[in-house]
Amino acid sequence: MPSVAAGEWDVVLFGSLDAGAATFVSAGAKVAPGGATRDGFVLLAGVGAGQRHERGVCACARLPAVSSLSRSTALGAAVVGYQWFHDWGVAALFVGPEGSVEVLSGSAGSLALPPRWGLRLHGEIWARPSDETLLQATVILGSSREDAWGRLAWGYRLWDAYLGPEASLYADRTAYRKWNFGLHATDFALGRFGLRASAGVQFETDQRPSPYLALAVWTTL
C-alpha cells in the first residue's frame, strides 16, 4: 500500500471490499517494527470471507445433472516478510501459514468441506516511474485452496489521486477463473484514511459478464 509516516513499530490497519457477482471482504493489519517507510521485516495478518456462484454436476439421480451451487469461503493468513525501499518505490515479499474453510450450498442442502491448511506466498511492488505516475503489482499464491490472485494497475496523478486502468485475475483448483478489468482511483485521503476505489467489468467461469465495485481503505495507529 502507499507509504505512510515513518516511526518505530508502525501499525497499519486495512480492509477491502470487492462487490460483484462474486463478492469478497477482508480486513487485517500490517506491523513494521522498524517503521513503515524503512527497509526491514514486516508482519502481515488478515482474515477474509467471500461467496460466489458455480455450476456443478449432481450425481444423486440416475442421470447426472448440472445444478447451480453457491460456494462460501472463510480464510485467514499470517505472513512475515521484508520490504525494500528504493528511489523508484518499494517492493515486499512475504511467506507464512494460511487456512480456509468452505461451504457448498444448493437445492439439495449444504455441505461443509474439511478445513484446509497450507502456505501463502505474497509479493507486491509499488513503483513510481515518474513524479506523476504509479505502477502497482501484487501476486498472492496459496496452497490451502491451491489458488492464485494477481493485480496490475497503472495511474496518473490527478486531483490528489492516481487515476488509471487496472486488471486482476483469480484462479483456483476447481478450474474457476475470475477476471476484472476496470478503472481505479488510488491514494486519495478522507480524513485520516487512505482509500482506493475501483469499478469495471467482471468475467467469471460459466457466468455472464457483470459490473464490479471495489474499495480498499487503510489507516495508521
Side-chain angles (χ1 to χ4, degrees):
M1 61 191 63
S3 60
V4 295
E8 295 300 322
W9 283 93
D10 285 342
V11 178
V12 181
L13 302 180
F14 58 86
S16 66
L17 169 66
D18 294 304
T23 300
F24 192 82
V25 61
S26 66
K30 174 182 178 180
V31 181
T37 58
R38 304 175 186 174
D39 288 1
F41 288 97
V42 178
L43 173 66
L44 195 64
V47 295
Q51 186 178 61
R52 73 188 194 218
H53 297 284
E54 304 175 359
R55 292 187 180 276
V57 178
C58 177
C60 52
R62 287 187 176 182
L63 295 177
V66 176
S67 61
S68 178
L69 299 174
S70 175
R71 183 184 296 265
S72 300
T73 303
L75 57 85
V79 295
V80 64
Y82 199 90
Q83 60 184 10
W84 296 268
F85 280 83
H86 303 276
D87 293 339
W88 51 262
V90 58
L93 184 64
F94 307 90
V95 63
E98 67 171 13
S100 64
V101 293
E102 295 179 321
V103 177
L104 298 178
S105 302
S107 57
S110 298
L111 173 65
L113 303 181
R116 298 172 62 95
W117 306 96
L119 196 66
R120 174 176 293 195
L121 182 64
H122 177 148
E124 60 182 47
I125 294 175
W126 293 82
R128 291 182 171 84
S130 69
D131 292 339
E132 300 299 325
T133 59
L134 172 70
L135 178 65
Q136 197 276 321
T138 301
V139 175
I140 300 176
L141 307 175
S143 63
S144 70
R145 303 181 66 236
E146 299 178 27
D147 62 352
W149 180 82
R151 177 180 180 268
L152 183 65
W154 179 88
Y156 187 82
R157 191 76 176 180
L158 290 172
W159 303 302
D160 296 325
Y162 292 97
L163 307 178
E166 69 171 13
S168 65
L169 169 64
Y170 174 84
D172 64 25
R173 69 184 189 280
T174 68
Y176 172 84
R177 303 290 184 269
K178 181 179 73 173
W179 300 264
N180 284 2
F181 299 97
L183 300 175
H184 72 95
T186 297
D187 203 17
F188 63 94
L190 183 61
R192 59 176 295 180
F193 297 95
L195 296 100
R196 184 189 79 226
S198 308
V201 180
Q202 184 176 101
F203 299 86
E204 292 182 273
T205 303
D206 297 328
Q207 304 290 337
R208 293 181 178 179
S210 61
Y212 78 89
L213 296 173
L215 178 67
V217 58
W218 57 88
T219 186
T220 56
L221 292 183

